[in-house]
Amino acid sequence: MTGPPPAHPDTEREDDDADVITHSLDEPELFAGLYDRHAPDIHRYAARRLGEGAADDITAETFLIAFRTRDRYDTAHRLARPWLYGIAANLIGKHRRTEVRALKALARTGHDPVAASWSDRSDDRLAVQAPLAGALASLSPGDRHVLLLVAWADLGYQEVADALRIPLGTVRSRLNRARRKVREALSTDPAFTSALDMSPPPPSGPSSQSRS
């Protein structure tokens, strides 16, 4: 597979992911509908984290793992996005050295062959800014996952908690810590912090005890 997966028109409601997964246990070919619906977003997110080349592999492996483990999917969650982003985040985490190396190179020189693909789309222009790259490289892997799942994948707090299988309070504490560090690193240019959407999204559920 080369390049981002093609987006196809949705013929089913988004809240039917659980039904698709359930029916795919008897009719495996139905799982393709889940791929058609969510693969473009997963690919786009992986490309912003690791570059276009790695995104192909991350996307393919994400859906291969999802297919093989679909019998354990919790159908109480009607939308599969957090589950899929969680799988992708785990795979991206295995490449954290590549990601951090690319971010540091971008922060130092303003260019990196891996990170260069981040500028292919206008909505990705933020990722090629050296100060932001340096700030992201300074975060711990857990804090970076939480921040970017919110800022780049548009997941809510509870969705991030579900994706990473951590308490909601941990999401809040990691996000607050990551935002504080990014604000400090980018304080000389407020445009970066506003572009990264530093304002918290609406609460997505009752707060739980924080654990970092």
Side-chain angles (χ1 to χ4, degrees):
M1 177 172 57
T2 58
H8 297 287
D10 258 345
T11 57
E12 302 179 54
R13 298 185 314 168
E14 282 194 345
D15 58 0
D16 285 340
D17 284 349
D19 288 338
V20 171
I21 293 170
T22 298
H23 292 312
S24 75
L25 294 174
D26 295 321
E27 301 176 78
E29 66 275 9
L30 295 179
F31 196 82
L34 202 73
Y35 179 91
D36 290 344
R37 181 180 300 158
H38 296 295
D41 289 338
I42 296 295
H43 187 280
R44 187 176 304 111
Y45 179 71
R48 297 183 82 167
R49 296 287 300 267
L50 297 176
E52 288 287 345
D56 291 345
D57 293 337
I58 294 292
T59 303
E61 193 169 354
T62 293
F63 283 89
L64 179 60
I65 292 172
F67 180 78
R68 288 175 174 173
T69 62
R70 70 193 189 282
D71 61 327
R72 301 199 295 270
Y73 181 75
D74 182 358
T75 56
H77 299 285
R78 306 306 298 175
L79 184 61
R81 286 180 73 243
W83 178 54
L84 295 170
Y85 273 109
I87 296 172
N90 285 335
L91 294 172
I92 290 170
K94 296 178 181 179
H95 296 267
R96 61 184 178 275
R97 291 183 180 177
T98 299
E99 181 180 35
V100 171
R101 185 167 57 247
L103 288 168
K104 288 182 176 179
L106 191 59
R108 185 176 62 254
T109 68
H111 175 75
D112 181 81
V114 173
S117 63
W118 295 346
S119 62
D120 289 347
R121 293 175 296 274
S122 60
D123 64 341
D124 286 349
R125 62 189 180 279
L126 183 64
V128 298
Q129 302 297 335
L132 177 61
L136 293 177
S138 72
L139 299 177
S140 70
D143 289 359
R144 190 164 53 249
H145 275 322
V146 169
L147 178 65
L148 296 184
L149 283 171
V150 171
W152 287 355
D154 294 324
L155 296 188
Y157 287 0
Q158 186 59 58
E159 289 179 312
V160 174
D162 293 341
L164 300 180
R165 298 184 181 181
I166 58 178
L168 184 60
T170 302
V171 172
R172 294 181 187 278
S173 63
R174 288 183 181 179
L175 188 58
N176 288 338
R177 183 168 55 239
R179 283 173 166 164
R180 184 177 65 253
K181 290 181 178 179
V182 171
R183 281 195 190 101
E184 292 171 354
L186 306 181
S187 59
T188 57
D189 192 341
F192 286 127
T193 54
S194 61
L196 193 55
D197 186 21
M198 286 299 172
S199 58
S204 54
S207 178
S208 60
Q209 186 176 358
S210 174
R211 184 185 69 189
S212 56

